[in-house]
Amino acid sequence: MKYMTFNSSCSYAGVANLLSFYGIDTQDRTIALEMGLPFLFDYEDGCYYSGPMLQGAKWFNLYLKTVGYTMTEKAVNKAQLCDYLRDLRAAMLGIYVSERNKHAVVYTGTKDGNYCMLNNKWERSDEPDTLLLSEQELLQRVDETITVAVLNKTGCETVSTEGLVKHSIAVLQSLARDIGTFCSQEGSPMDIRSSMNTLFRAILLDGITMLDLIGETQISQKLKIVQGQLMNTVKENKPLQLDQYLDMALLNSAISEYIDLICAHV
């Protein structure tokens, strides 16, 4: 059983657990570091992403191809999910562990009619390592269409991330501009809460996690100060112009240093 070792890394721990079925011993942080995850940012459908939120075959294959495997994903209709899983050796999918919280688990087979799922969790967590779900329980925890990921042996490949890293620099520059624009205008409590995931998370949560992963504590500490300021404004629960509450100079300095760090990685 491979456990989470950094924040929100359930899908990365899931990849490590999938690889263990094929005799490859690794863990989430090894995968993240070897694929250069701390230097990658993306923007899609109005939302900025970094760190463990960069999920799926496109990202995981940056590492998997170097160890001789490729991830493929299939969108499966809820009605066909159980039949589809039964034919697989192992697979990763997302299930709901609460009403709004989806979590990556690894299907490992069936036992007494139940579906066995490795629960990609923190080792110190009191959650069970394995979830045994009846067909009804499983179907209650998934969307109408479920992405199911499996591994295929393909042979080792050299993977270049240069293009993705250059793209990440442009994305982070765009993020800095969008944060500046957003913070210069008064926002309602709903606007600010919504921006936490779409705008701020990539730099003030997952970005911090990635910086801590590579020991860049100076930049991380600057961002943590701004993170604390942002959380305080959310507690105010009233319309605010964020640049009157956040240390924008400190934030821009930290983002600039992060961009320099990524440039050095190209």
Side-chain angles (χ1 to χ4, degrees):
M1 175 74 181
K2 302 297 180 178
Y3 296 100
M4 295 170 56
T5 67
F6 61 89
N7 290 334
S8 304
S9 70
C10 60
S11 62
Y12 281 80
V15 173
N17 276 313
L18 278 176
L19 283 169
S20 68
F21 282 84
Y22 301 91
I24 295 179
D25 183 16
T26 188
Q27 61 176 335
D28 56 357
R29 66 179 49 229
T30 301
I31 295 168
L33 291 172
E34 294 197 6
M35 65 183 274
L37 188 62
F39 310 102
L40 300 176
F41 284 77
D42 200 15
Y43 177 82
E44 185 177 358
D45 297 332
C47 188
Y48 287 93
Y49 297 97
S50 70
M53 295 300 101
L54 297 175
Q55 303 173 9
K58 170 186 174 180
W59 302 101
F60 297 142
N61 282 337
L62 298 177
Y63 171 79
L64 288 168
K65 288 182 178 181
T66 68
V67 296
Y69 287 84
T70 299
M71 175 178 283
T72 57
E73 296 171 317
K74 182 177 177 63
V76 180
N77 184 276
K78 183 175 181 175
Q80 280 78 52
L81 177 63
C82 292
D83 287 341
Y84 184 72
L85 288 177
R86 282 195 292 268
D87 291 333
L88 302 177
R89 179 180 182 185
M92 184 161 65
L93 64 154
I95 68 172
Y96 286 96
V97 292
S98 64
E99 185 178 352
R100 297 183 180 180
N101 184 20
K102 189 184 287 186
H103 183 72
V105 295
V106 173
Y107 166 76
T108 62
T110 59
K111 181 179 180 181
D112 299 327
N114 293 315
Y115 293 79
C116 304
M117 306 284 179
L118 285 183
N119 183 19
N120 306 309
K121 60 164 195 145
W122 293 91
E123 185 172 12
R124 62 179 180 269
S125 168
D126 58 4
E127 297 175 16
D129 283 0
T130 302
L131 304 174
L132 292 176
L133 303 174
S134 68
E135 180 171 332
Q136 182 180 4
E137 289 171 330
L138 175 58
L139 296 181
Q140 287 174 342
R141 293 185 180 218
V142 297
D143 293 320
E144 289 302 317
T145 302
I146 306 97
T147 299
V148 180
V150 298
L151 300 187
N152 303 286
K153 189 170 180 59
T154 53
C156 296
E157 297 180 37
T158 299
V159 176
S160 173
T161 60
E162 182 177 349
L164 289 172
V165 173
K166 289 180 177 178
H167 171 70
S168 298
I169 294 168
V171 170
L172 193 46
Q173 290 170 335
S174 176
L175 174 59
R177 290 192 297 270
D178 285 351
I179 287 176
T181 299
F182 182 80
C183 291
S184 69
Q185 304 167 353
E186 183 176 283
S188 69
M190 183 178 295
D191 291 335
I192 294 171
R193 285 193 296 271
S194 176
S195 71
M196 298 286 281
N197 277 326
T198 60
L199 189 62
F200 290 105
R201 174 169 183 152
I203 189 66
L204 291 183
L205 183 61
D206 298 319
I208 290 173
T209 296
M210 291 294 97
L211 290 167
D212 288 342
L213 197 65
I214 56 176
E216 291 288 343
T217 55
Q218 184 175 347
I219 308 174
S220 172
Q221 189 56 42
K222 289 182 178 181
L223 293 174
K224 286 175 182 177
I225 292 171
V226 181
Q227 180 195 62
Q229 294 169 344
L230 179 60
M231 296 307 298
N232 287 335
T233 67
V234 173
K235 294 175 185 176
E236 293 282 339
N237 197 34
K238 63 183 182 182
L240 297 171
Q241 185 172 316
L242 287 177
D243 62 7
Q244 297 179 3
Y245 295 83
L246 306 185
D247 188 336
M248 299 302 292
L250 186 66
L251 176 58
N252 288 329
S253 170
I255 294 176
S256 179
E257 289 176 22
Y258 205 146
I259 290 171
D260 289 343
L261 186 67
I262 297 172
C263 289
H265 191 73
V266 176

